[in-house]
Amino acid sequence: MAKLISKTYGEAIFELAVAENRVDALSEEIQTVLKALEENPEFSEIMKHPKIIKEEKLQIIENVFKGRVSDELTGFIRLIVEKDRYGQLEEIMQYFLDEVKSLKGIGVAWVRSALPLREEQKKRIEAKLLETTCFREMEMHYQVDDTLIGGMVIRIGDRVADSSIRTKLSHLEQQLLKIQLQN
C-alpha cells in the first residue's frame, strides 16, 4: 500500500515538475527537504504525533517551509499532511528523485563485494555497467560484505547479478542434496 501511495503522489509532483519545466529546481528543493528531515528527526515526531491536530501541523508546515522552498513544494507538503500521508513523505520524495534519475538516464547501482575495491576496479565496474545497460550515467554505491566470502553482488533496480562465492556454494549444496535424494 505504501508503494502505491508513494508512486501516486510522487508521479503527481514529477508530472508537475516536467510540465512546468522545473525538474532540476524541484529536485534540488526535495533533496534539501530530505536532508533537513534526516538531520531533524524530532520534526517528523511532531508531525506524526496523534495529539497534535491537523490544523496545527499545517501551520507548522507553513512556518517551516514557506519562503525556504517554492510555493508548489510547500503546497504539496501541505496536501500530504491534509491527506494524512506525512508518514510516507520521504518515500514520496524518493520516488520523485528516482523518476528524475530515470528521466536523465542515470542508473543507480549497489555493489557489495567481499573485499574493498580499488579505484581502478570501481571504474571498470562502472564502465561495464554503462556498456551493458541503457543508462548514460551511473550513480554507484559500494559496500563491503565479508559474508560473501568472495566475488560480488550488483543490484540495479530489481535486477541482481550475483557472482559471490557464498551463492555458488549454496547452489552446489543444493545440487549435492538433490543427488543424495535421488540415490
Side-chain angles (χ1 to χ4, degrees):
M1 183 69 163
K3 289 269 187 209
L4 180 61
I5 291 168
S6 62
K7 182 176 191 265
T8 302
Y9 285 93
E11 279 182 1
I13 190 74
F14 179 73
E15 288 173 10
L16 173 72
V18 170
E20 294 186 355
N21 200 23
R22 298 197 59 237
V23 172
D24 291 334
L26 269 175
S27 182
E28 285 181 29
E29 288 182 11
I30 285 176
Q31 288 173 358
T32 301
V33 168
L34 284 173
K35 185 176 181 202
L37 293 176
E38 182 182 319
E39 292 173 355
N40 301 290
E42 59 279 349
F43 180 80
S44 288
E45 290 175 21
I46 291 169
M47 295 305 293
K48 292 177 185 176
H49 200 284
K51 291 190 177 181
I52 298 176
I53 61 172
K54 192 179 293 186
E55 288 75 22
E56 289 178 8
K57 291 177 183 180
L58 293 171
Q59 190 58 51
I60 292 170
I61 294 295
E62 285 292 320
N63 293 342
V64 170
F65 294 108
K66 189 86 171 160
R68 291 182 178 88
V69 296
S70 66
D71 290 343
E72 292 88 359
L73 187 55
T74 302
F76 183 73
I77 296 170
R78 280 182 54 87
L79 174 71
I80 290 172
V81 171
E82 287 172 3
K83 299 290 185 181
D84 294 320
R85 300 291 186 207
Y86 183 82
Q88 288 85 35
L89 179 64
E90 291 179 39
E91 292 170 16
I92 292 166
M93 291 183 162
Q94 190 57 55
Y95 183 90
F96 171 87
L97 294 174
D98 292 344
E99 288 296 296
V100 170
K101 288 176 186 170
S102 178
L103 176 73
K104 293 182 175 191
I106 301 171
V108 180
W110 300 88
V111 179
R112 288 186 304 138
S113 59
L115 299 170
L117 299 172
R118 294 184 312 274
E119 282 307 310
E120 73 178 49
Q121 291 172 309
K122 290 178 180 181
K123 287 178 182 173
R124 281 199 324 256
I125 292 168
E126 184 175 353
K128 188 68 172 175
L129 291 175
L130 286 170
E131 177 185 312
T132 57
T133 63
C134 59
F135 300 113
R136 294 188 298 259
E137 190 178 323
M138 293 300 298
E139 179 182 303
M140 304 294 293
H141 300 274
Y142 295 95
Q143 176 185 6
V144 174
D145 181 355
D146 58 2
T147 66
L148 297 178
I149 304 170
M152 68 180 70
V153 177
I154 301 173
R155 182 175 58 85
I156 301 174
D158 59 355
R159 296 182 351 214
V160 177
D162 188 341
S163 66
S164 68
I165 301 297
R166 179 181 66 189
T167 299
K168 290 178 181 177
L169 287 173
S170 176
H171 289 314
L172 182 61
E173 179 184 31
Q174 290 172 1
Q175 290 174 344
L176 288 173
L177 286 172
K178 285 180 185 177
I179 291 172
Q180 288 178 349
L181 291 175
Q182 291 173 357
N183 292 334

